[in-house]
Amino acid sequence: MNTDSNNRVALVTGGSGGIGRAVAERLAADGQSVAVHYAGNKVRADETVAAITDAGGRAIAVTGDIADEADMTALFDQVEREFGGIDVVVNTAGIMLLSPLESLDLDDLDRMHRTNIRGTFVVSQQAVRRLRAGGAIVNFSTSVAKLQFPSYSAYAASKGAVNAMTLVLARELRGRDITVNAVAPGPTATDLFLDGKDEATIDNLAKMPPLERLGRPEDIAEVVSFLAGPARWVNGQIIYTNGGII
């Protein structure tokens, strides 16, 4: 069983920016070797790898369509060749397209389904086949599934599917010594989240938690670090990481 952080290997999908980058950098700081996955922005992935290696960590950039089985088979092969195995998979990759249900473009629904649901499923399927004993799968959900903000119906539905997948998979892995959990962030100050929002909207969101601020990517990464390493008795859980909004 490989539970020593200095010998663990993590794959972070969507690891080139925002929460994904914070997660990749935190796991590397914990001593894990990290494969930083990106879909289209190689420059940002290379920047994340450089930040990790400059700080004394080990990292490589890997690419592929998370919803494509052949791509992910090749990606996992690459990570295993480079680092000798895989212990942790963190599914941060996802997209969020917002619209009231009445006017939602169904193509947007299909896009979110393919990335958020199928992508998480395909990557998790490879993880189940490859992770070493003592491993961890950390999926990404959303606090919006409980907050019920207008315009988030399709996105929340896709993450509701991730919740169900997480809870069932944890039970399917009985006897494997692999944990499966999901992190469900609340409003978090990433460039993607802040884009297009006026100052009043951001201020209102920041006042929602009792801590009276937006989450930071590092706040989310801290929880992932716990689930990806020492949290061997936390399994089959959705961890709402939102400063106490709900």
Side-chain angles (χ1 to χ4, degrees):
M1 180 176 66
N2 184 25
T3 57
D4 179 357
S5 288
N6 290 320
N7 294 319
R8 283 166 83 78
V9 175
L11 165 65
V12 181
T13 69
S16 62
I19 292 174
R21 175 168 180 167
V23 167
E25 292 182 352
R26 174 58 188 264
L27 294 182
D30 291 342
Q32 300 200 34
S33 300
V34 181
V36 178
H37 163 267
Y38 68 96
N41 197 326
K42 185 178 187 301
V43 171
R44 291 178 67 184
D46 288 342
E47 289 172 353
T48 303
V49 169
I52 290 170
T53 55
D54 288 349
R58 296 180 68 204
I60 59 170
V62 292
T63 190
D65 177 358
I66 61 170
D68 184 277
E69 182 180 11
D71 275 11
M72 289 303 99
T73 298
L75 184 149
F76 273 75
D77 286 345
Q78 179 184 355
V79 177
E80 288 180 334
R81 283 195 304 269
E82 180 69 25
F83 293 129
I86 304 176
D87 303 284
V88 175
V89 169
V90 186
N91 284 301
T92 74
I95 58 174
M96 181 173 65
L97 305 169
L98 303 181
S99 168
L101 187 149
E102 179 184 18
S103 55
L104 178 70
D105 185 331
L106 293 180
D107 286 342
D108 287 346
L109 177 65
D110 291 343
R111 286 177 60 198
M112 281 190 286
H113 183 284
R114 188 176 192 281
T115 298
N116 298 353
I117 302 176
R118 180 184 167 94
T120 299
F121 194 100
V122 169
V123 173
S124 295
Q125 191 173 64
Q126 287 295 318
V128 168
R129 295 169 179 172
R130 312 244 194 167
L131 289 195
R132 296 182 284 206
I137 297 171
V138 183
N139 292 329
F140 260 70
S141 179
T142 177
S143 290
V144 172
K146 285 191 173 182
L147 290 170
Q148 298 150 16
F149 288 157
S151 299
Y152 282 76
S153 60
Y155 176 70
S158 73
K159 292 300 187 176
V162 171
N163 289 352
M165 194 187 315
T166 299
L167 301 180
V168 172
L169 183 55
R171 277 91 190 151
E172 289 182 349
L173 292 181
R174 176 180 294 275
R176 291 278 305 278
D177 191 22
I178 295 171
T179 61
V180 187
N181 296 286
V183 176
T188 304
T190 63
D191 291 341
L192 180 64
F193 176 80
L194 296 174
D195 184 43
K197 292 182 174 66
D198 59 35
E199 189 171 343
T201 298
I202 294 170
D203 287 344
N204 287 335
L205 290 167
K207 290 175 183 175
M208 290 182 68
L211 298 175
E212 295 191 333
R213 66 171 176 85
L214 293 175
R216 296 183 290 261
E218 293 76 16
D219 295 322
I220 314 305
E222 182 176 46
V223 178
V224 175
S225 170
F226 176 62
L227 295 174
R232 301 309 305 160
W233 200 235
V234 180
N235 190 28
Q237 304 298 315
I238 313 299
I239 310 297
Y240 288 89
T241 310
N242 53 44
I245 294 177
I246 51 173

